């Protein structure tokens, strides 16, 4: 196992800047996810860690060792990709042994390591089958097993669950978490699925346009997003956003949304808030309450309701915009009703209109 340090790592493909000045200190044994939209540089960053892609700038350290120019075989990394690339003509056992044979590991030790990994992944029964005789989930376990037998210092996974159905995705996700708990190897996991990243990781790297937007624990990324992009990308359904203006209300400042005015718990001059400033207001659907009454409440018409089982997503009309709220599944809410609605004041955010930086 090892820590990984990325220091000002960049990658250009011709004039395209795929990765830009990435700094990240990954602790020994941590499970890190890199998450972000398609093309934001996740895979390129992973491939630079693996040594499959040469960084155009910056340095990569494994522990104290500078591996920036080291080829993949000198890094002891194990990799699992969405395309599993199992050898179709070899049994599961042979697939799992292959890397060990290439590495010159004696036959007895190979057998022991394969059996141990197979037990851990619950695929002992499948060792003599060929990949074509396995389900997608079983093939995925073999690919993971083939990597864990090599006892890598770093485990790199690139969208390994993308081709599985939703239920199996959750099942294998849980197995991967359990595996990580047991072997404790430093893991970097690439996904565009924020839910996977949130549930699996010690910390998350959120990327956009080749740059890290935030690198923090899932709870922090969720509760204290650095900017509007992170706030929007993390959380389903995503945060509600509205244009607003900071306005004076007696001695206080408030965010004037047109349909509602939300008191801000800051004095004028505090941070970058000043009266008259245009801002973006953000509130998560779970922090929008359909209340009986209250001073801060406002009227909103229910457009439609989406039941998810556990809860309901309520789409409300405010001015000519939509506000989403989440309420418990048992709560009665009907399309066409007018409801009193309030924001949980302590959970709202303000983002700078230009930069998108979170300032409140
Ligand atoms: P996805 O989720 O779609 O896999 P990603 O976040 O992993 O995307 P990358 O694969 O890292 O993104 O790609 C980042 C950018 O670099 C993209 O614009 C991509 O088109 C470009 N890119 C990646 N590899 C190459 C390459 N070998 N040659 C040229 N451009 C590349």
């Amino acid at each position: 196992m090892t820590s990984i340090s990325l220091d000002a790592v960049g990658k250009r493909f011709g004039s395209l800047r795929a990765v830009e000045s990435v700094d990240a200190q990954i602790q020994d044994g941590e499970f890190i996810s890199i998450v972000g939209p398609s093309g934001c540089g996740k895979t390129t960053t992973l491939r630079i860690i693996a040594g499959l892609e040469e960084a155009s700038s910056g340095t990569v350290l494994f522990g104290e060792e500078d591996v920036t120019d080291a080829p993949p075989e000198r890094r002891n990394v194990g990799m699992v990709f969405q395309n599993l690339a199992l050898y179709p003509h070899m049994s599961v056992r042979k697939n799992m042994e292959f890397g060990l044979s290439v590495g010159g590991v004696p036959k007895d030790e190979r057998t022991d390591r394969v059996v141990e990994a197979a037990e851990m992944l619950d695929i002992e029964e499948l060792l003599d089958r060929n990949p074509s005789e396995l389900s997608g989930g079983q093939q995925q376990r073999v690919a993971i097993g083939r990597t864990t037998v090599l006892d890598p210092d770093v485990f790199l996974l690139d969208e390994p669950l993308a081709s599985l159905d939703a239920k199996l995705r959750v099942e294998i996700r849980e197995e991967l978490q359990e595996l990580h708990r047991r072997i404790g190897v430093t893991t970097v996991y690439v996904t565009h699925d924020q839910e996977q990243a949130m549930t699996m990781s010690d910390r998350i790297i959120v990327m956009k346009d080749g740059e890290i937007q935030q690198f923090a624990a899932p709870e922090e990324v969720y509760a204290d997003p650095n900017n509007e992009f992170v706030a929007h990308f993390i959380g389903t359904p995503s945060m509600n956003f509205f244009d607003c203006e900071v306005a004076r209300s007696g001695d206080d400042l408030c965010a004037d949304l047109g349909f509602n005015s939300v008191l801000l718990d800051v004095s004028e001059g505090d941070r970058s808030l000043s009266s008259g400033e245009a801002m973006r207001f953000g509130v998560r659907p779970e922090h929008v309450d359909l209340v009986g009454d209250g001073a801060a409440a406002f009227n909103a018409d229910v457009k439609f309701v989406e039941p998810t089982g556990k809860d309901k997503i309520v789409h409300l009309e405010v001015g000519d915009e939509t506000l989403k709220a989440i309420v418990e599944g048992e709560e009665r809410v009907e399309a066409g009703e007018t409801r009193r609605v309030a924001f949980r004041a302590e959970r709202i955010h303000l983002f700078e209109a230009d930069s998108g930086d979170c300032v409140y």
Side-chain angles (χ1 to χ4, degrees), residues 13 16 18-19 36-45 53 159 190 192:
F13 293 106
L16 180 97
V19 172
S38 185
C40 72
K42 304 181 292 292
T43 295
T44 305
T45 305
E53 205 72 75
E159 300 268 11
V190 159
H192 64 272

Side-chain angles (χ1 to χ4, degrees), residues 222-225 239 280-283 347-351 358 360:
Y222 178 82
D224 286 313
M239 190 181 273
R280 293 277 286 163
F281 176 95
V283 62
R347 304 305 296 267
I348 63 161
H349 295 282
L350 289 185
F351 303 93
C358 187
Y360 182 82

Side-chain angles (χ1 to χ4, degrees), residues 125-144:
E125 318 273 280
L126 310 177
L127 285 173
D128 295 316
R129 292 202 205 162
N130 275 8
S132 61
E133 298 167 306
L134 305 178
S135 70
Q138 289 167 336
Q139 289 184 20
Q140 193 56 258
R141 290 189 182 98
V142 174
I144 293 166

